[in-house]
Structure formats: C-alpha cells, structure tokens
Amino acid sequence: MEHTPSDPDYAAAVVDLLGVLAYGELTAFIRMAADSDLAPSLRLKSDMAGLAATEFRQYSQLVERMRSMHIDPDRAMEPFVVPFTAYHERTRPRTWLEGLVKAFVGEGIAKDFYREMAAFVDAETREVMDLALEDVGEADFVVSVVRDAIKTDPTASGRLALWGRRLLGEALSQAQAVAVTRDALAMFLIGGGADLAAVGEMFTRLTERHTERMARLGLSA
Amino acid sequence: MEHTPSDPDYAAAVVDLLGVLAYGELTAFIRMAADSDLAPSLRLKSDMAGLAATEFRQYSQLVERMRSMHIDPDRAMEPFVVPFTAYHERTRPRTWLEGLVKAFVGEGIAKDFYREMAAFVDAETREVMDLALEDVGEADFVVSVVRDAIKTDPTASGRLALWGRRLLGEALSQAQAVAVTRDALAMFLIGGGADLAAVGEMFTRLTERHTERMARLGLSA
C-alpha cells in the first residue's frame, strides 16, 4: 500500500513522526547539555556540549520545515512529552561515563528507528527527516573516551554493558507505549509497507545495530 | 597607557579576558539548557533552549578564534571554573521564572561587563569579543513572559526583584574574586586606560544598566 500525503491517516502519521523526532531532539539537547556538566575536563565538557548543540540545530531545522508544511510543532510534539520524560527519568546518568554512553547509545537507537521510519514516507517528508538525522560524526569522541575508561577501570565494562541494556530496554518500552496510544503512527507502521513480520524484522535490525554500537565502545550488548 | 599585543602582561590579560568570556558562555549554555526543562509549555521550553544554543554558537566561534590566535582555550578557561561554578551554585533557580530572569539579567550583567572590557583591547581582540557578544534579540521573549507573570501573580514581583538583586550581588562578588586572583586581568583594568576612579564609574554604569534591564521586566532593582 502506498502512502499519499493527501490521505488524512497518513498526514496524521507524518505529523506524529515529525513531532516525535523533534521532541526527541529537543529533550536530547537538554539532557546532553545538563550531562556535559559531569565531564571531568573542559575539553570533554566542550565536546559533549557540542553534541547537544548539534541536536538543537537539527531540532530547529525540523521545526522550521514543519511550519512550512503547516504543521504546528508544539501540537505535534505534545503527545510525546510523557514518554520522553519517562525515558529520561528512568535513564538519568549517575556518572559522567553513563551520560556519555547514553548520549551515544540512546541517541543511536532513536536515530536508527527514525531511519527505519523514513523508508515509509513520501520524498518531501523523507528529506525533512534526513536533515534532522544527519550524522556529522561529532559523537565519535565518545568511542575513545569509553574505551580508555574501560582499560583503566575493568569493572566499568560490566557496569556500562548493563547500562547499555537498560537504555535499549527503556527505549523500546517507551516506543511501545507510544505505539499503543498513537493509532495513526501504529497503523502507518503496520498497515503501510510493513506487515507484522516486517515490524519484527525491524526490531531485530535495531537490536543488531545496538549490538554493533556497543561493540564499538568495547562493550558487550 | 596604550596596550600593544606584544607586551606579555597585555597578552596574558587578553588570554584571561577571552577565557572568562568563553567559559561564561559555555556555563551559561549548560545552565540555560538545563533550566529550559522547567518551562511550563513547549513553546517556552523551545525559546529558552534557543537562547542556550545561541550561547553555544558564540562560545564555538570564540574558541575557534582563540585557536587561530594560538591560545589554548582549555587552559585559558581553567582559572574561571571555580568562580563560575560558585556563581551558578549560589544562583540555582528554584522556579521557571527565576531561571528566566537569571538568563536575562545574569547574562545581561556579564555581557555589559565584557563590553566595558572590550573598550580597552586592540582591534583584533575587540572584533573577536564583539562576535561573542552580539545581541540577536533572542532574549526578548523573556520581557513579555515576566511581565505577564507579574500581572497574574502580584507577589511574584517582590520575589523576582529580590532575586535580581541577588544575581547582581553574586555576579559582582565573583567578579571581585576573579580580580583578586588574576593579576594580569586586574592590572590591565587598573593600569591601562582606566584608573581607580574610572573603575568606580564603570561599576556605576553596570549597576545603572542592571536597573534599566530590571525595569524592562517590570521589576524594581
């Protein structure tokens, strides 16, 4: 089944999709900026703050494009305040390293999910989503910092592996909460392009990429 | 006495000046981003986050220019970690309105001070400072939000007036702590261009501008 922008269910799903993406970036910005305060050096504080600032730039571009598509960004984001607040409360980092892994792994999972979604939308919407999902490699510093930390403190490896699993679990749990309450989004996912088996395959891919990302950090998933 | 970039005392003062400016913007970014989470609506959260993002953009430009001037930004910022941490700990907003007034009033005082300092530096340094001090009017939304809040809750007016006084006091107290420990910066201020009477006049001007800024918010200073 092909989606057309004139179908009202499809239009509602697009609003949801851009809304969840935008609010995800706004809250990622806030959390990363706050977590940068845990950094043990000015260089790392600055790097983490830069990561946060990138989220805000992408959020801004997204909001601007939503307005030009006659979508009210605040109304589009509103339904996602509760699940994102819950996710961030349940994954509040207690240490700088946890914050760092969350910035890398949590955002990685979210962006993989949005990239999967981008495959189902029309060209204009996909272009808007791509703009907000562009990876400029700014998170690469996380890899060497986490690898170094594991080398000097071997117990960190086990703790951070557990933390990564928790991040994946909380992200999937909130994604499910969203799917249950947002009919248009759920129907869009199930009804168009993807059947239930395809959704299952998508979750398998998300988990595989999560495992690869954890391996890049030197952590088991 | 005229400053020349080749004078080592002057060079040290410029490093301090750019360092304090950069670190002030980095911490303002972090605090404003964190405080945006207190906003009562998505629109205001987004506006406050935008204010934070502007601080980071100016910080980034400043750091880039410092590097091109062969100044190590991290070393230049290091001496100011303690006073800024103290300032932000002593002025941690308990409410959204306090955060908003702090973003407007606290940053206003800091930027007035740096603008005063910019009068004493060479043209190249002044240009770098101006870049980081540009006012793009993004904080203007604060005025109507605070004025509306005072209208609907008259007791807020007295509380926020006190809060503004505290922000000025803490800012001046930390500025003094910096002057005591950073000889080059202090000597630059006293020795070059400005004598003690001129410094007194400068503080009078800073206080006057603070009073004007508070009045714009509908608050007594």
Side-chain angles (χ1 to χ4, degrees), chain A residues 33-65:
Chain A
D35 293 344
S36 75
D37 225 9
L38 302 169
S41 75
L42 282 175
R43 169 60 60 94
L44 291 172
K45 185 181 285 212
S46 190
D47 284 345
M48 182 77 155
L51 216 54
T54 299
E55 294 284 338
F56 188 81
R57 200 174 57 242
Q58 293 178 328
Y59 161 78
S60 287
Q61 288 177 323
L62 190 53
V63 160
E64 203 178 296
R65 291 298 293 266

mmCIF file of all heavy atoms in Angstrom, chain A residues 33-65:
data_model
loop_
_atom_site.group_PDB
_atom_site.id
_atom_site.type_symbol
_atom_site.label_atom_id
_atom_site.label_comp_id
_atom_site.label_asym_id
_atom_site.label_seq_id
_atom_site.Cartn_x
_atom_site.Cartn_y
_atom_site.Cartn_z
ATOM 1 N N ALA A 33 23.153 18.551 27.361
ATOM 2 C CA ALA A 33 23.743 19.788 27.879
ATOM 3 C C ALA A 33 23.906 19.675 29.392
ATOM 4 O O ALA A 33 24.968 19.993 29.944
ATOM 5 C CB ALA A 33 22.876 20.987 27.515
ATOM 6 N N ALA A 34 22.861 19.201 30.068
ATOM 7 C CA ALA A 34 22.936 19.063 31.526
ATOM 8 C C ALA A 34 24.004 18.028 31.897
ATOM 9 O O ALA A 34 24.792 18.242 32.823
ATOM 10 C CB ALA A 34 21.575 18.665 32.088
ATOM 11 N N ASP A 35 24.068 16.921 31.157
ATOM 12 C CA ASP A 35 25.034 15.868 31.481
ATOM 13 C C ASP A 35 26.470 16.295 31.186
ATOM 14 O O ASP A 35 27.415 15.746 31.763
ATOM 15 C CB ASP A 35 24.690 14.572 30.721
ATOM 16 C CG ASP A 35 23.377 13.960 31.207
ATOM 17 O OD1 ASP A 35 22.915 14.349 32.293
ATOM 18 O OD2 ASP A 35 22.814 13.100 30.507
ATOM 19 N N SER A 36 26.654 17.264 30.301
ATOM 20 C CA SER A 36 28.016 17.728 30.000
ATOM 21 C C SER A 36 28.654 18.326 31.246
ATOM 22 O O SER A 36 29.879 18.398 31.357
ATOM 23 C CB SER A 36 28.008 18.748 28.862
ATOM 24 O OG SER A 36 27.523 19.997 29.305
ATOM 25 N N ASP A 37 27.822 18.736 32.193
ATOM 26 C CA ASP A 37 28.321 19.317 33.437
ATOM 27 C C ASP A 37 29.047 18.274 34.295
ATOM 28 O O ASP A 37 29.782 18.632 35.217
ATOM 29 C CB ASP A 37 27.163 19.923 34.225
ATOM 30 C CG ASP A 37 27.520 21.300 34.771
ATOM 31 O OD1 ASP A 37 28.577 21.826 34.400
ATOM 32 O OD2 ASP A 37 26.742 21.833 35.573
ATOM 33 N N LEU A 38 28.837 16.996 34.003
ATOM 34 C CA LEU A 38 29.513 15.926 34.743
ATOM 35 C C LEU A 38 30.921 15.642 34.198
ATOM 36 O O LEU A 38 31.669 14.855 34.791
ATOM 37 C CB LEU A 38 28.686 14.624 34.666
ATOM 38 C CG LEU A 38 27.237 14.655 35.186
ATOM 39 C CD1 LEU A 38 26.497 13.377 34.789
ATOM 40 C CD2 LEU A 38 27.229 14.809 36.704
ATOM 41 N N ALA A 39 31.274 16.255 33.100
ATOM 42 C CA ALA A 39 32.550 15.938 32.435
ATOM 43 C C ALA A 39 33.747 16.233 33.332
ATOM 44 O O ALA A 39 33.743 17.234 34.054
ATOM 45 C CB ALA A 39 32.671 16.719 31.134
ATOM 46 N N PRO A 40 34.774 15.369 33.287
ATOM 47 C CA PRO A 40 35.938 15.559 34.155
ATOM 48 C C PRO A 40 36.957 16.563 33.611
ATOM 49 O O PRO A 40 37.920 16.880 34.297
ATOM 50 C CB PRO A 40 36.550 14.151 34.205
ATOM 51 C CG PRO A 40 36.145 13.518 32.917
ATOM 52 C CD PRO A 40 34.798 14.100 32.558
ATOM 53 N N SER A 41 36.775 17.048 32.402
ATOM 54 C CA SER A 41 37.713 18.045 31.870
ATOM 55 C C SER A 41 36.957 19.035 30.994
ATOM 56 O O SER A 41 35.850 18.753 30.515
ATOM 57 C CB SER A 41 38.802 17.375 31.034
ATOM 58 O OG SER A 41 38.283 16.974 29.779
ATOM 59 N N LEU A 42 37.585 20.193 30.800
ATOM 60 C CA LEU A 42 36.958 21.212 29.954
ATOM 61 C C LEU A 42 36.799 20.734 28.527
ATOM 62 O O LEU A 42 35.794 21.023 27.878
ATOM 63 C CB LEU A 42 37.795 22.491 29.997
ATOM 64 C CG LEU A 42 37.603 23.330 31.249
ATOM 65 C CD1 LEU A 42 38.574 24.498 31.240
ATOM 66 C CD2 LEU A 42 36.173 23.842 31.310
ATOM 67 N N ARG A 43 37.807 20.014 28.038
ATOM 68 C CA ARG A 43 37.726 19.514 26.666
ATOM 69 C C ARG A 43 36.507 18.619 26.477
ATOM 70 O O ARG A 43 35.737 18.772 25.532
ATOM 71 C CB ARG A 43 39.037 18.751 26.327
ATOM 72 C CG ARG A 43 39.008 17.950 25.035
ATOM 73 C CD ARG A 43 38.744 18.840 23.810
ATOM 74 N NE ARG A 43 39.754 19.863 23.646
ATOM 75 C CZ ARG A 43 40.836 19.743 22.871
ATOM 76 N NH1 ARG A 43 41.028 18.657 22.185
ATOM 77 N NH2 ARG A 43 41.711 20.730 22.783
ATOM 78 N N LEU A 44 36.292 17.704 27.430
ATOM 79 C CA LEU A 44 35.166 16.780 27.310
ATOM 80 C C LEU A 44 33.828 17.494 27.521
ATOM 81 O O LEU A 44 32.828 17.171 26.889
ATOM 82 C CB LEU A 44 35.329 15.611 28.286
ATOM 83 C CG LEU A 44 36.476 14.652 27.930
ATOM 84 C CD1 LEU A 44 36.696 13.646 29.047
ATOM 85 C CD2 LEU A 44 36.211 13.934 26.609
ATOM 86 N N LYS A 45 33.837 18.472 28.417
ATOM 87 C CA LYS A 45 32.610 19.241 28.635
ATOM 88 C C LYS A 45 32.221 19.946 27.336
ATOM 89 O O LYS A 45 31.058 19.938 26.910
ATOM 90 C CB LYS A 45 32.847 20.272 29.749
ATOM 91 C CG LYS A 45 31.599 21.044 30.125
ATOM 92 C CD LYS A 45 31.873 22.072 31.224
ATOM 93 C CE LYS A 45 32.026 21.418 32.575
ATOM 94 N NZ LYS A 45 31.560 22.269 33.691
ATOM 95 N N SER A 46 33.214 20.501 26.695
ATOM 96 C CA SER A 46 33.003 21.214 25.450
ATOM 97 C C SER A 46 32.529 20.265 24.335
ATOM 98 O O SER A 46 31.617 20.590 23.569
ATOM 99 C CB SER A 46 34.313 21.891 25.071
ATOM 100 O OG SER A 46 34.145 22.768 24.017
ATOM 101 N N ASP A 47 33.139 19.073 24.261
ATOM 102 C CA ASP A 47 32.748 18.088 23.238
ATOM 103 C C ASP A 47 31.294 17.657 23.434
ATOM 104 O O ASP A 47 30.520 17.552 22.479
ATOM 105 C CB ASP A 47 33.647 16.851 23.308
ATOM 106 C CG ASP A 47 35.027 17.096 22.699
ATOM 107 O OD1 ASP A 47 35.192 18.104 21.975
ATOM 108 O OD2 ASP A 47 35.934 16.288 22.950
ATOM 109 N N MET A 48 30.936 17.377 24.683
ATOM 110 C CA MET A 48 29.572 16.919 24.978
ATOM 111 C C MET A 48 28.579 18.052 24.716
ATOM 112 O O MET A 48 27.482 17.817 24.183
ATOM 113 C CB MET A 48 29.504 16.474 26.438
ATOM 114 C CG MET A 48 28.171 15.929 26.856
ATOM 115 S SD MET A 48 27.914 14.239 26.252
ATOM 116 C CE MET A 48 26.718 13.675 27.477
ATOM 117 N N ALA A 49 28.959 19.279 25.086
ATOM 118 C CA ALA A 49 28.094 20.427 24.823
ATOM 119 C C ALA A 49 27.891 20.596 23.312
ATOM 120 O O ALA A 49 26.800 20.948 22.851
ATOM 121 C CB ALA A 49 28.700 21.696 25.432
ATOM 122 N N GLY A 50 28.937 20.315 22.546
ATOM 123 C CA GLY A 50 28.839 20.400 21.087
ATOM 124 C C GLY A 50 27.854 19.392 20.523
ATOM 125 O O GLY A 50 27.114 19.671 19.572
ATOM 126 N N LEU A 51 27.847 18.210 21.120
ATOM 127 C CA LEU A 51 26.906 17.160 20.729
ATOM 128 C C LEU A 51 25.479 17.645 20.987
ATOM 129 O O LEU A 51 24.580 17.472 20.147
ATOM 130 C CB LEU A 51 27.195 15.939 21.599
ATOM 131 C CG LEU A 51 27.066 14.550 21.008
ATOM 132 C CD1 LEU A 51 27.898 14.416 19.762
ATOM 133 C CD2 LEU A 51 27.522 13.506 22.039
ATOM 134 N N ALA A 52 25.287 18.250 22.154
ATOM 135 C CA ALA A 52 23.966 18.792 22.494
ATOM 136 C C ALA A 52 23.560 19.872 21.497
ATOM 137 O O ALA A 52 22.433 19.878 20.998
ATOM 138 C CB ALA A 52 23.989 19.365 23.913
ATOM 139 N N ALA A 53 24.485 20.756 21.188
ATOM 140 C CA ALA A 53 24.172 21.874 20.289
ATOM 141 C C ALA A 53 23.768 21.368 18.900
ATOM 142 O O ALA A 53 22.912 21.965 18.243
ATOM 143 C CB ALA A 53 25.363 22.824 20.200
ATOM 144 N N THR A 54 24.379 20.273 18.454
ATOM 145 C CA THR A 54 24.000 19.682 17.163
ATOM 146 C C THR A 54 22.543 19.226 17.200
ATOM 147 O O THR A 54 21.797 19.435 16.240
ATOM 148 C CB THR A 54 24.920 18.497 16.820
ATOM 149 O OG1 THR A 54 26.252 18.993 16.722
ATOM 150 C CG2 THR A 54 24.531 17.853 15.497
ATOM 151 N N GLU A 55 22.128 18.623 18.313
ATOM 152 C CA GLU A 55 20.733 18.202 18.452
ATOM 153 C C GLU A 55 19.811 19.418 18.318
ATOM 154 O O GLU A 55 18.774 19.345 17.670
ATOM 155 C CB GLU A 55 20.482 17.538 19.815
ATOM 156 C CG GLU A 55 21.194 16.227 20.043
ATOM 157 C CD GLU A 55 20.559 15.041 19.308
ATOM 158 O OE1 GLU A 55 19.371 15.113 18.957
ATOM 159 O OE2 GLU A 55 21.269 14.056 19.072
ATOM 160 N N PHE A 56 20.204 20.523 18.927
ATOM 161 C CA PHE A 56 19.334 21.693 18.849
ATOM 162 C C PHE A 56 19.281 22.249 17.432
ATOM 163 O O PHE A 56 18.218 22.678 16.975
ATOM 164 C CB PHE A 56 19.763 22.797 19.813
ATOM 165 C CG PHE A 56 18.751 23.905 19.858
ATOM 166 C CD1 PHE A 56 17.604 23.776 20.629
ATOM 167 C CD2 PHE A 56 18.887 25.040 19.070
ATOM 168 C CE1 PHE A 56 16.625 24.763 20.630
ATOM 169 C CE2 PHE A 56 17.913 26.031 19.065
ATOM 170 C CZ PHE A 56 16.785 25.897 19.853
ATOM 171 N N ARG A 57 20.399 22.233 16.743
ATOM 172 C CA ARG A 57 20.409 22.751 15.365
ATOM 173 C C ARG A 57 19.470 21.906 14.498
ATOM 174 O O ARG A 57 18.690 22.434 13.705
ATOM 175 C CB ARG A 57 21.835 22.723 14.820
ATOM 176 C CG ARG A 57 22.033 23.654 13.650
ATOM 177 C CD ARG A 57 23.486 23.738 13.214
ATOM 178 N NE ARG A 57 24.026 22.440 12.864
ATOM 179 C CZ ARG A 57 25.041 21.844 13.476
ATOM 180 N NH1 ARG A 57 25.648 22.436 14.473
ATOM 181 N NH2 ARG A 57 25.460 20.658 13.088
ATOM 182 N N GLN A 58 19.542 20.593 14.672
ATOM 183 C CA GLN A 58 18.675 19.714 13.888
ATOM 184 C C GLN A 58 17.210 19.912 14.277
ATOM 185 O O GLN A 58 16.322 19.922 13.417
ATOM 186 C CB GLN A 58 19.114 18.259 14.081
ATOM 187 C CG GLN A 58 20.498 18.019 13.457
ATOM 188 C CD GLN A 58 21.021 16.605 13.656
ATOM 189 O OE1 GLN A 58 20.729 15.969 14.664
ATOM 190 N NE2 GLN A 58 21.807 16.132 12.715
ATOM 191 N N TYR A 59 16.972 20.086 15.566
ATOM 192 C CA TYR A 59 15.617 20.370 16.049
ATOM 193 C C TYR A 59 15.081 21.653 15.406
ATOM 194 O O TYR A 59 13.952 21.694 14.919
ATOM 195 C CB TYR A 59 15.635 20.496 17.579
ATOM 196 C CG TYR A 59 14.445 21.217 18.152
ATOM 197 C CD1 TYR A 59 13.222 20.564 18.288
ATOM 198 C CD2 TYR A 59 14.537 22.551 18.532
ATOM 199 C CE1 TYR A 59 12.121 21.236 18.801
ATOM 200 C CE2 TYR A 59 13.448 23.225 19.046
ATOM 201 C CZ TYR A 59 12.233 22.564 19.178
ATOM 202 O OH TYR A 59 11.153 23.237 19.671
ATOM 203 N N SER A 60 15.891 22.696 15.376
ATOM 204 C CA SER A 60 15.481 23.985 14.804
ATOM 205 C C SER A 60 15.123 23.864 13.334
ATOM 206 O O SER A 60 14.118 24.415 12.884
ATOM 207 C CB SER A 60 16.621 24.997 14.896
ATOM 208 O OG SER A 60 16.782 25.415 16.185
ATOM 209 N N GLN A 61 15.977 23.162 12.585
ATOM 210 C CA GLN A 61 15.709 22.971 11.158
ATOM 211 C C GLN A 61 14.390 22.234 10.968
ATOM 212 O O GLN A 61 13.584 22.568 10.109
ATOM 213 C CB GLN A 61 16.831 22.158 10.521
ATOM 214 C CG GLN A 61 18.136 22.919 10.381
ATOM 215 C CD GLN A 61 19.232 22.027 9.814
ATOM 216 O OE1 GLN A 61 19.306 20.841 10.134
ATOM 217 N NE2 GLN A 61 20.077 22.590 8.966
ATOM 218 N N LEU A 62 14.188 21.232 11.803
ATOM 219 C CA LEU A 62 12.988 20.409 11.712
ATOM 220 C C LEU A 62 11.733 21.248 11.989
ATOM 221 O O LEU A 62 10.735 21.167 11.263
ATOM 222 C CB LEU A 62 13.108 19.269 12.723
ATOM 223 C CG LEU A 62 12.095 18.141 12.674
ATOM 224 C CD1 LEU A 62 12.001 17.551 11.286
ATOM 225 C CD2 LEU A 62 12.483 17.042 13.671
ATOM 226 N N VAL A 63 11.796 22.062 13.034
ATOM 227 C CA VAL A 63 10.661 22.906 13.409
ATOM 228 C C VAL A 63 10.334 23.895 12.291
ATOM 229 O O VAL A 63 9.163 24.130 11.955
ATOM 230 C CB VAL A 63 10.972 23.628 14.740
ATOM 231 C CG1 VAL A 63 10.096 24.841 14.929
ATOM 232 C CG2 VAL A 63 10.796 22.657 15.908
ATOM 233 N N GLU A 64 11.380 24.445 11.704
ATOM 234 C CA GLU A 64 11.188 25.394 10.610
ATOM 235 C C GLU A 64 10.481 24.714 9.425
ATOM 236 O O GLU A 64 9.533 25.263 8.853
ATOM 237 C CB GLU A 64 12.563 25.907 10.181
ATOM 238 C CG GLU A 64 12.559 27.236 9.484
ATOM 239 C CD GLU A 64 13.986 27.651 9.163
ATOM 240 O OE1 GLU A 64 14.770 27.858 10.119
ATOM 241 O OE2 GLU A 64 14.322 27.719 7.976
ATOM 242 N N ARG A 65 10.933 23.510 9.095
ATOM 243 C CA ARG A 65 10.313 22.776 7.980
ATOM 244 C C ARG A 65 8.878 22.368 8.312
ATOM 245 O O ARG A 65 8.011 22.378 7.447
ATOM 246 C CB ARG A 65 11.155 21.533 7.636
ATOM 247 C CG ARG A 65 12.499 21.870 7.013
ATOM 248 C CD ARG A 65 12.372 22.613 5.693
ATOM 249 N NE ARG A 65 11.794 21.803 4.638
ATOM 250 C CZ ARG A 65 12.504 21.102 3.765
ATOM 251 N NH1 ARG A 65 13.827 21.137 3.793
ATOM 252 N NH2 ARG A 65 11.908 20.375 2.849
#
